[in-house]
């Protein structure tokens, strides 16, 4: 029986995270293999469709106009360039194409152009994801009509630590955008960044916020901070890799039907650490040598790692036939979770 809960108390999350490492990983792997094939990982490729000169002050980001970084601003890419990248991503094995824009929010005019991109990438037979900043309710409806599969919008950290990282938009703004995306019927991709100087309590609060949303995000990216030269967070003390893996495991346990995405920061992780993340329940990741503005391991390296681990990167669909208990109702999963 897989229990879906949206009523996690902070003490419970801290207790979960604080267990002996082996107990936590064992529990996560047990849940993981009931819901998913443990030897499959879904892969998405990212493209920055509009880079830099962002008015927001996110202190981790290479693209904020307030941070003195070497990222060169670029205008919104032409459709043909986007399609060329999507075609390459498909050829190397990615099943989803994620397009990111350095905006506080899209204007309706720029959304027209992004919608053309979404429709054309879908026509190529790939799933689509975009991350464009805050949205209005009407904009989410337009994205749904365009056939968008996923919208990425991260909570980033705990509500308490958030103000130390970003001041130009509130936690509530993010929750509102997530609500509009959910109500429009688009799959939600939302997670956070670890290693920004937050405490264990903050990490537990981030998981609590995500798992206590009215419905769990279908995709939960766990990013390890990429320390970018010229950002205020450059030089932050690195997170203990075991604490990162613990967060992956706790996300898997708390959001059993979600894809837990091993996201930014993989260039700093060795293969053994990534293998432990997959064991802890990570079953999706970003694939291709660039994230948005920073490096990611190249495809050859990832393909070799998957082959060494016996991981298949094409499927990663939920298994059939497990039972889901959702607060007051129990149902059998057939499964389109
Ligand atoms: N501008 C939009 C927004 O912020 O919603 C979309 C693009 S933004 C770059 C998407 C996400 O990437 C951020 O919410 C953050 O979680 C993640 N991110 C950005 N810079 C990062 C970094 N240096 N290390 C790890 N994650 C990062
Ligand atoms: C997410 O959670 N991580 C991705 C994606 N969603 C958009 C972005 C990571 C960005 C890392 C820094 C960069 O390359 O600029
Ligand atoms: Fe802008 Fe997004 Fe970077 Fe924040 S994370 S500065 S909103 S691009």
């Amino acid at each position: 029986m897989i229990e879906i809960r949206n009523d996690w108390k902070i003490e419970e999350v801290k207790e979960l995270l604080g267990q002996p490492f082996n107990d936590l990983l064992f529990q996560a792997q047990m849940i993981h293999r009931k819901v998913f094939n443990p030897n499959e990982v879904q892969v998405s490729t990212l493209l920055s469709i509009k880079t830099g000169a962002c008015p927001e002050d996110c202190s981790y980001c290479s693209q904020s106009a307030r941070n003195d970084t070497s990222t060169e601003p670029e205008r919104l890419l032409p459709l043909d360039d986007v399609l060329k990248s999507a075609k390459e991503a498909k050829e190397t094995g990615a099943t989803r194409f994620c397009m990111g824009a350095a905006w506080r929010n899209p204007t309706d005019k720029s959304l027209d152009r992004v919608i053309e991109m979404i429709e054309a990438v879908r026509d190529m037979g790939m799933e689509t994801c975009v991350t464009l900043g805050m949205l209005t309710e009407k904009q989410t409806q337009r994205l749904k009509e365009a056939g968008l599969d996923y919208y990425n919008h991260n909570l980033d950290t705990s509500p308490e630590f958030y103000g130390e990282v970003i001041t130009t938009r509130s936690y509530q703004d993010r929750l509102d955008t997530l609500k509009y995306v959910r109500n429009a019927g688009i799959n939600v991709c939302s997670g956070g960044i670890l290693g920004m100087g937050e405490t264990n309590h903050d990490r537990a609060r981030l998981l609590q916020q995500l798992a206590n949303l009215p419905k769990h995000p279908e995709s939960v990216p766990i990013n390890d901070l990429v320390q970018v030269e010229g950002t205020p967070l450059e030089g932050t003390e690195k997170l203990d890799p075991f604490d990162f893996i613990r967060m992956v495991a706790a996300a898997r346990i708390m959001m059993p039907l979600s894809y837990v995405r091993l996201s930014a920061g993989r260039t700093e992780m060795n293969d053994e650490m990534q293998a432990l993340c997959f064991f802890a329940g990570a079953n999706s990741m970003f694939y291709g040598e660039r994230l948005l503005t920073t490096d990611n391991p190249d495809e050859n390296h990832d393909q070799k790692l998957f082959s060494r681990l016996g991981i298949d990167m094409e499927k990663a669909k939920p298994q059939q036939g497990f039972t889901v208990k959702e607060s007051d109702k129990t149902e059998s999963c057939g499964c389109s979770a």
Side-chain angles (χ1 to χ4, degrees):
M1 171 92 67
I2 297 293
E3 195 183 358
I4 306 298
R5 290 182 51 190
N6 307 80
D7 61 352
W8 288 87
K9 297 197 173 54
I10 189 64
E11 296 75 26
E12 290 179 289
V13 186
K14 284 165 102 166
E15 211 173 289
L16 190 66
L17 282 168
Q19 289 180 88
F21 189 74
N22 286 340
D23 290 347
L24 177 61
L25 260 66
F26 180 69
Q27 207 182 324
Q29 174 66 202
M30 293 273 281
I31 290 177
H32 186 43
R33 58 180 52 231
K34 271 190 194 147
V35 180
F36 293 99
N37 180 328
N39 303 311
E40 292 177 347
V41 170
Q42 184 275 333
V43 297
S44 304
T45 293
L46 277 167
L47 176 70
S48 179
I49 55 169
K50 190 269 161 194
T51 305
C54 183
E56 301 290 86
D57 70 351
C58 311
S59 48
Y60 46 77
C61 190
S62 67
Q63 305 197 69
S64 167
R66 304 175 197 222
N67 298 339
D68 187 14
T69 69
S70 60
T71 300
E72 287 292 330
E74 278 174 22
R75 299 164 74 97
L76 188 59
L77 292 181
L79 179 63
D80 284 352
D81 292 13
V82 175
L83 289 185
K84 188 167 168 274
S85 296
K87 188 164 173 278
E88 282 164 11
K90 191 178 178 193
E91 280 164 5
T92 53
T95 54
R96 188 178 308 156
F97 194 62
C98 305
M99 297 168 269
W103 288 321
R104 172 177 167 79
N105 55 270
T107 61
D108 288 339
K109 230 170 128 191
S110 49
L111 199 66
D112 292 341
R113 303 239 339 249
V114 175
I115 282 174
E116 280 178 31
M117 296 172 189
I118 293 168
E119 290 172 341
V121 172
R122 266 177 67 85
D123 286 347
M124 287 175 42
M126 291 185 93
E127 287 185 319
T128 52
C129 173
V130 293
T131 178
L132 314 171
M134 289 189 283
L135 297 176
T136 63
E137 226 168 335
K138 196 152 170 261
Q139 288 177 324
T140 55
Q141 279 150 16
R142 291 191 61 207
L143 288 168
K144 176 67 186 172
E145 281 157 22
L148 178 69
D149 296 295
Y150 289 80
Y151 194 80
N152 167 244
H153 198 63
N154 291 337
L155 288 180
D156 278 352
T157 189
S158 69
E160 296 76 22
F161 188 65
Y162 182 87
E164 306 278 315
V165 182
I166 300 149
T167 68
T168 49
R169 77 166 71 139
S170 70
Y171 211 77
Q172 189 57 48
D173 289 333
R174 290 183 185 254
L175 291 169
D176 288 345
T177 295
L178 291 178
K179 183 172 73 191
Y180 303 149
V181 173
R182 174 60 76 210
N183 290 346
I186 300 168
N187 290 311
V188 172
C189 173
S190 187
I193 311 179
L194 314 181
M196 298 195 293
E198 75 285 345
T199 61
N200 187 50
H201 176 83
D202 292 313
R203 289 190 284 276
R205 284 280 283 150
L206 167 66
L207 288 177
Q208 184 195 24
Q209 290 287 323
L210 292 166
N212 288 354
L213 287 170
K215 187 166 188 257
H216 294 166
E218 282 74 14
S219 163
V220 181
I222 311 284
N223 294 277
D224 200 10
L225 174 70
V226 178
Q227 297 202 7
V228 178
E229 211 180 315
T231 59
L233 290 186
E234 182 191 4
T236 306
E237 196 184 334
K238 292 245 168 48
L239 184 66
D240 180 343
F242 293 124
D243 286 338
F244 184 92
I245 300 165
R246 281 172 184 278
M247 284 290 287
V248 171
R252 166 53 61 229
I253 293 165
M254 294 170 70
M255 293 168 277
L257 304 184
S258 306
Y259 284 79
V260 176
R261 182 172 296 275
L262 176 56
S263 301
R266 288 199 302 117
T267 52
E268 299 269 311
M269 297 177 194
N270 62 26
D271 290 346
E272 294 79 359
M273 173 165 175
Q274 294 182 61
L276 271 178
C277 289
F278 298 134
F279 187 77
N283 63 343
S284 60
M285 68 175 207
F286 290 117
Y287 174 71
E289 62 190 22
R290 281 308 263 173
L291 291 167
L292 290 172
T293 64
T294 65
D295 291 341
N296 199 37
D298 71 41
E299 292 98 346
N300 291 338
H301 185 95
D302 283 340
Q303 281 175 9
K304 207 164 143 209
L305 174 61
F306 284 154
S307 146
R308 288 166 72 205
L309 298 175
I311 286 177
D312 184 335
M313 73 173 193
E314 276 161 38
K315 302 186 195 116
K317 293 272 181 296
Q319 316 261 42
Q320 303 271 319
F322 57 89
T323 307
V324 176
K325 179 169 177 277
E326 223 170 325
S327 38
D328 53 355
K329 55 178 190 287
T330 302
E331 50 191 59
S332 194
C333 191
C335 179
S336 60

